[in-house]
Amino acid sequence: MKLVVQVKLLPTPEQAAALAATLALCNTAANEVSAVAFAHGVFARQKLQKLVYTDLKARGLSAQPALHVIRKVADAYTALHAQIEAGLLGGEHSRQRRKATSKPITVRADAAQPFDDRCLSWQMDARTISIWTARGRVRDIAFTGEPGQLKFLADHRKGETDLVHRDGMFFLIATCEIEQVLRVEPADWIGVDRGIVNLATTSDGDNHQGKGLARYRRRQARLRAQLQAKKAAGSRSAARRLARRAQREARHAANENHKISKSIVTDARRTGRGIALEELSGIRDRVRLRRHQRATHSSWPFHQLGTFIQYKAQRAGVPFLEVDPAYTSQRCPVPWCGHTERADRPDRNTFCCRRCGFAGPADVIAAMNIRKRACVVWAFVSMPVPTPKGGQGRCDPGTTPSRDRERNKA
């Protein structure tokens, strides 16, 4: 499993100037390579390398940085063509698609640049790096980070590292690779329901929300509306402040999601249980929201929270599943009842079964139903099946009851 660790560089003014010049040179060269690729219609990395490698070397790029520039451009065009094939840019004559394909791809002057171990070396004990720059090899650039992250970096770093310039500071984002812990049979499951009011509610009844967070989100919405009004009036400073505030809100949301996911995974690992979430792909297109909920629903990264829970669970060896979200908040969790009706939700926060009278917080009820579905899915995943030789085997971990039904229909 691959993860990334970010560390902050602490360069001297001379070292910072060399790093800035390096990003500027590499990204200027990338724009030139992109123009050549667009003009010749050549987007494959090896063919593009034959066209531009000599020119990149003449510009002062060493061999490895030149190859990284070429690969960065080739990957950008590969991503663009994948978006076109997937229909994400509209039809053949759509305005968005014409705009994307009518000119070469360009990158910012301070866009990230990848480095491999030939161009960048780490001295973990001294907490310094040595890196190739446009002004030659620069050594003894100090870096810092959270102690746990630094230890993880020292033990598991493998692969490329990106040099990033953001908010006047330089960062290194390093790739780490760890062996995934073998999956064990869970004693039970923790169902997790993600929502607008309560960001995450578990089947144990734990609500991961808070009045402080709700106040923060309301205040940010008011400030954002004020800045957007000033931006519409032509204020350039309001546009800059709006961009900085968006970054600040994203960092705050990521921090909250990290804390929530860490708490859930820690609880599951301590009790020997697995974690089950709703499969929420396409949720923005499926749900109908009240007007005052739309901004909240669109502004919080619910998918990020699920991703954090998933990778932390895999890293800790905790089983993880995603289950069908249909009617989880309308179905009675009582085993002998199971009544499902929209009227079981008299309001947003309350569940009350119209058949058996079972009642409780709606988010907790949804989490309980997610837990029950995880038990069923895991039973199918772990079900022994005959092997071609007549022995007993295990189901494919990707197999679920829904996929079995689709296969039977086919």
Side-chain angles (χ1 to χ4, degrees):
M1 180 172 61
K2 291 186 178 181
L3 300 172
V4 296
V5 172
Q6 176 178 282
V7 298
K8 180 181 178 180
L9 295 181
L10 304 172
T12 64
E14 294 78 11
Q15 293 170 340
L19 294 176
T22 302
L23 289 181
L25 174 62
C26 291
N27 290 313
T28 300
N31 287 330
E32 295 175 357
V33 172
S34 178
V36 173
F38 184 81
H40 291 80
V42 175
F43 307 111
R45 181 174 62 85
Q46 292 182 346
K47 294 181 179 180
L48 190 58
Q49 180 177 332
K50 294 179 181 179
L51 289 176
V52 301
Y53 181 75
T54 303
D55 294 335
L56 292 178
K57 292 282 289 183
R59 285 188 58 88
L61 290 171
S62 296
Q64 290 303 115
L67 294 177
H68 283 301
V69 167
I70 295 171
R71 191 177 67 178
K72 180 163 69 171
V73 173
D75 289 346
Y77 278 104
T78 299
L80 174 62
H81 295 155
Q83 288 180 323
I84 293 174
E85 292 179 3
L88 300 179
L89 299 180
E92 182 178 358
H93 302 291
S94 69
R95 180 180 179 183
Q96 186 179 12
R97 180 168 173 176
R98 291 200 308 269
K99 182 179 179 180
T101 58
S102 62
K103 58 184 179 181
I105 293 176
T106 58
V107 297
R108 303 188 317 273
D110 60 346
Q113 175 65 19
F115 290 83
D116 57 26
D117 288 344
R118 298 182 185 181
C119 305
L120 188 152
S121 59
W122 299 76
Q123 295 78 45
M124 299 302 300
D125 293 337
R127 291 195 180 179
T128 61
I129 64 163
S130 171
I131 187 172
W132 174 89
T133 71
R135 301 179 181 179
R137 191 85 179 188
V138 177
R139 306 179 187 277
D140 299 327
I141 302 179
F143 67 87
T144 186
E146 195 270 328
Q149 294 279 53
L150 294 179
K151 184 180 184 304
F152 184 78
L153 178 67
D155 295 339
H156 301 288
R157 189 192 65 81
K158 184 177 181 180
E160 294 181 351
T161 301
D162 287 349
L163 175 64
V164 178
H165 184 243
R166 184 173 65 240
D167 298 331
M169 297 175 287
F170 288 95
F171 299 90
L172 290 177
I173 301 179
T175 303
C176 298
E177 187 169 344
I178 62 173
E179 294 183 3
Q180 188 170 343
V181 181
L182 293 178
R183 185 171 57 184
V184 297
E185 190 72 22
D188 200 347
W189 291 87
I190 298 177
V192 181
D193 176 66
R194 288 169 285 176
I196 296 176
V197 177
N198 299 313
L199 297 180
T201 303
T202 70
S203 53
D204 295 338
D206 298 328
N207 277 336
H208 295 276
Q209 173 59 299
K211 296 181 179 178
L213 180 57
R215 287 196 299 268
Y216 173 84
R217 294 166 71 179
R218 288 195 297 268
R219 180 174 181 273
Q220 296 304 317
R222 289 196 301 270
L223 294 175
R224 188 164 54 246
Q226 294 172 4
L227 290 175
Q228 287 172 343
K230 294 181 180 179
K231 178 183 176 181
S235 173
R236 298 178 62 182
S237 63
R240 292 192 296 268
R241 291 173 60 191
L242 197 60
R244 289 196 298 268
R245 184 162 295 279
Q247 295 175 356
R248 188 181 308 160
E249 290 183 41
R251 291 194 298 269
H252 181 85
N255 181 61
E256 291 295 329
N257 284 340
H258 272 299
K259 291 192 292 185
I260 293 171
S261 58
K262 181 179 179 180
S263 174
I264 294 173
V265 172
T266 301
D267 189 24
R269 184 178 184 182
R270 177 179 55 81
T271 57
R273 293 181 290 177
I275 299 175
L277 269 69
E278 298 170 294
E279 204 286 309
L280 295 181
S281 60
I283 187 65
R284 298 186 192 277
D285 299 325
R286 296 199 305 267
V287 299
R288 291 178 296 177
L289 300 171
R290 297 176 181 175
R291 184 172 182 178
H292 70 277
Q293 292 179 322
R294 294 171 188 168
T296 304
H297 183 265
S298 301
S299 64
W300 194 264
F302 297 100
H303 175 73
Q304 183 191 70
L305 175 58
T307 302
F308 285 175
I309 293 176
Q310 181 177 8
Y311 94 77
K312 291 178 191 292
Q314 292 175 346
R315 180 176 169 181
V318 174
F320 176 86
L321 284 177
E322 288 188 327
V323 301
D324 185 2
Y327 307 110
T328 52
S329 62
Q330 299 178 17
R331 182 179 179 84
C332 179
V334 176
W336 53 264
C337 181
H339 178 68
T340 304
E341 185 180 351
R342 181 177 295 180
D344 289 347
R345 289 279 302 275
D347 57 59
R348 188 249 166 260
N349 298 317
T350 307
F351 174 90
C352 183
C353 180
R354 296 178 64 86
R355 174 183 292 175
C356 70
F358 183 82
D363 292 340
V364 177
I365 298 299
M368 293 171 64
N369 283 320
I370 292 171
R371 171 191 162 275
K372 290 179 62 177
R373 291 186 182 181
C375 294
V376 175
V377 171
W378 185 259
F380 276 88
V381 170
S382 304
M383 181 184 297
V385 294
T387 63
K389 295 182 180 181
Q392 293 292 320
R394 309 284 285 186
C395 287
D396 183 349
T399 303
T400 63
S402 60
R403 293 182 184 176
D404 289 341
R405 288 194 297 268
E406 294 299 325
R407 188 181 296 116
N408 293 336
K409 291 179 182 179

